[in-house]
Amino acid sequence: MIAFGPVPSRRLGYSLGINHIPAKHCSYSCVYCQVGRTNKMEIERKEFYPIDQVICDVEKKVLECSQVGKGIDYLTLVPDGEPTLDINLGNIIKSLKQFQIPIAVISNASLINRLDVQEELLQADWVSLKVDAIDEQIWRMIDRPHRALSLANILNGILEFRQKFCGKLVSETMLADGLNDNEKAASQLCEFLLNLHPFKSYLSIPTRPPAETRITAPSPDALQKFLKICAEQIPFLDLLFETEVGDFVSTGNFAEDVLSITAVHPLREQALKEMVINTGNKWEIVEDLLASGKISCVSYRNEKFFLHNFRNNQKEQ
Ligand code: SF4
């Protein structure tokens, strides 16, 4: 299943997710990644799925949503890896325009200094680029990039793209305890963001199970100091710290929807319970998925999360 959702997103309203890269081809292996460690670290662009397959899957979901009267605010390319690794990205975006729904891409920005990647992203309506650190050493510790990548090239590429892009450009920074949450990192980030001046700069903290269990959100004290520095300088700063509330919509096959959503978006217990209620389904479906090993439940900082079991689901394919 390539298309999933729609998923409520604070930034994008109702977003129909497009998972056009299988887990987990990425140019980074971020310590906080909610999809787990990267086992296919790469920077070469290639085809993952034929374009027709991606578009067909999206078309099916768009139709299902329209049949249940559910509007979609964005078609969002947010795969289990880095979307710009897909050599078909530009043609996928072009083909998606037929649905006349705004198109968003959530990228780690690692290939943004490439002109072909810039050209393809220029066709989207909303682009999010990751800026976790301005310091090379911190960037290597938190994002664990492919060894051939250079942070200076990426930051230059982001600034270059900003000059050309007519849509909404946002930046995203994930803060992790002891890594990029100090005052120096805050000042460096502010300097870069003031130069970039995106539509919004989002700050977030790990709230879902990270790839490395030692990773936690900054201490309240560190967070407060960091926010004070940013808030004083950056008017376009926005926080994504709050817990998202359920209101997920099932478009027909509830078990399939849970599997496709959890593949890229671990679900909090509360969100999943609300999804069950809102769609008139039964919690037993979730229990069956747990019993069959298709999803699993983990506790993280006193909350339960439901995750997709990639290994068990792959065995069946
Ligand atoms: S958070 Fe994004 S960029 Fe980082 S490893 Fe996970 S998929 Fe890749």
Side-chain angles (χ1 to χ4, degrees):
M1 180 73 69
I2 291 171
F4 65 94
V7 176
S9 150
R10 224 196 94 201
R11 295 161 298 169
L12 297 168
Y14 271 96
S15 152
L16 185 78
I18 304 170
N19 186 7
H20 57 113
I21 296 188
K24 195 196 149 179
H25 296 260
C26 196
S27 45
Y28 283 181
S29 185
C30 303
V31 288
Y32 56 77
C33 183
Q34 58 178 303
V35 193
R37 287 182 188 162
T38 299
N39 53 3
K40 291 164 187 118
M41 171 73 79
E42 50 205 48
I43 53 168
E44 293 305 322
R45 305 189 76 202
K46 63 182 184 192
E47 176 173 289
F48 294 93
Y49 296 106
I51 299 173
D52 285 355
Q53 191 183 343
V54 176
I55 302 303
C56 248
D57 231 53
V58 173
E59 187 173 25
K60 209 171 134 225
K61 273 282 178 188
V62 169
L63 196 67
E64 284 171 359
C65 287
S66 118
Q67 280 165 354
V68 296
K70 186 76 234 168
I72 300 169
D73 298 308
Y74 273 92
L75 299 175
T76 307
L77 293 143
V78 55
D80 283 344
E82 169 49 31
T84 60
L85 284 173
D86 190 343
I87 195 85
N88 291 334
L89 179 68
N91 287 329
I92 289 174
I93 296 175
K94 264 187 210 151
S95 300
L96 288 174
K97 288 185 185 283
Q98 66 183 282
F99 301 112
Q100 298 185 321
I101 298 170
I103 296 160
V105 184
I106 298 181
S107 164
N108 68 13
S110 58
L111 306 184
I112 193 71
N113 59 317
R114 288 180 57 143
L115 287 181
D116 56 343
V117 169
Q118 290 185 9
E119 287 300 317
E120 291 169 30
L121 287 177
L122 284 176
Q123 301 172 65
D125 301 283
W126 187 100
V127 172
S128 167
L129 298 177
K130 187 189 291 296
V131 186
D132 282 342
I134 306 303
D135 178 281
E136 174 106 19
Q137 210 180 340
I138 297 176
W139 171 66
R140 291 201 180 276
M141 283 194 293
I142 190 165
D143 290 347
R144 300 189 296 192
H146 187 285
R147 68 175 70 140
L149 292 170
S150 134
L151 180 60
N153 286 345
I154 292 170
L155 296 177
N156 284 337
I158 293 174
L159 293 170
E160 205 175 278
F161 180 70
R162 170 76 176 96
Q163 298 304 316
K164 304 176 185 173
F165 186 49
C166 300
K168 284 184 178 165
L169 176 69
V170 308
S171 68
E172 285 191 49
T173 304
M174 177 74 88
L175 299 175
D177 181 41
L179 288 172
N180 60 346
D181 62 343
N182 57 64
E183 292 171 70
K184 188 175 171 203
S187 300
Q188 289 173 328
L189 180 68
C190 287
E191 195 182 337
F192 178 77
L193 293 178
L194 281 170
N195 191 15
L196 178 67
H197 212 289
F199 172 68
K200 287 268 183 211
S201 284
Y202 291 107
L203 291 182
S204 54
I205 53 175
T207 53
R208 300 180 188 134
E212 308 300 334
T213 49
R214 67 188 155 84
I215 295 304
T216 58
S219 68
D221 186 45
L223 194 55
Q224 197 162 329
K225 285 181 181 154
F226 196 101
L227 292 181
K228 189 169 181 292
I229 293 169
C230 293
E232 280 172 3
Q233 298 185 54
I234 307 181
F236 44 86
L237 185 79
D238 205 345
L239 308 181
L240 291 175
F241 290 0
E242 75 271 36
T243 304
E244 83 275 18
V245 181
D247 194 15
F248 290 90
V249 176
S250 174
T251 53
N253 186 328
F254 184 71
E256 220 174 74
D257 283 334
V258 171
L259 283 177
S260 54
I261 291 171
T262 52
V264 287
H265 191 108
L267 280 170
R268 289 174 196 278
E269 186 177 34
Q270 185 197 354
L272 186 51
K273 278 185 174 162
E274 289 187 21
M275 185 176 164
V276 169
I277 293 165
N278 292 345
T279 56
N281 278 288
K282 295 211 161 114
W283 187 252
E284 281 77 50
I285 298 176
V286 176
E287 285 174 355
D288 286 347
L289 289 172
L290 283 167
S292 64
K294 290 185 174 169
I295 60 170
S296 56
C297 178
V298 298
S299 292
Y300 176 67
R301 303 169 83 201
N302 301 323
E303 282 197 88
K304 281 186 181 163
F305 292 83
F306 292 85
L307 310 163
H308 191 97
N309 272 349
F310 286 107
R311 267 192 212 142
N312 288 357
N313 289 309
Q314 269 162 6
K315 267 186 223 157
E316 287 177 5
Q317 285 166 10

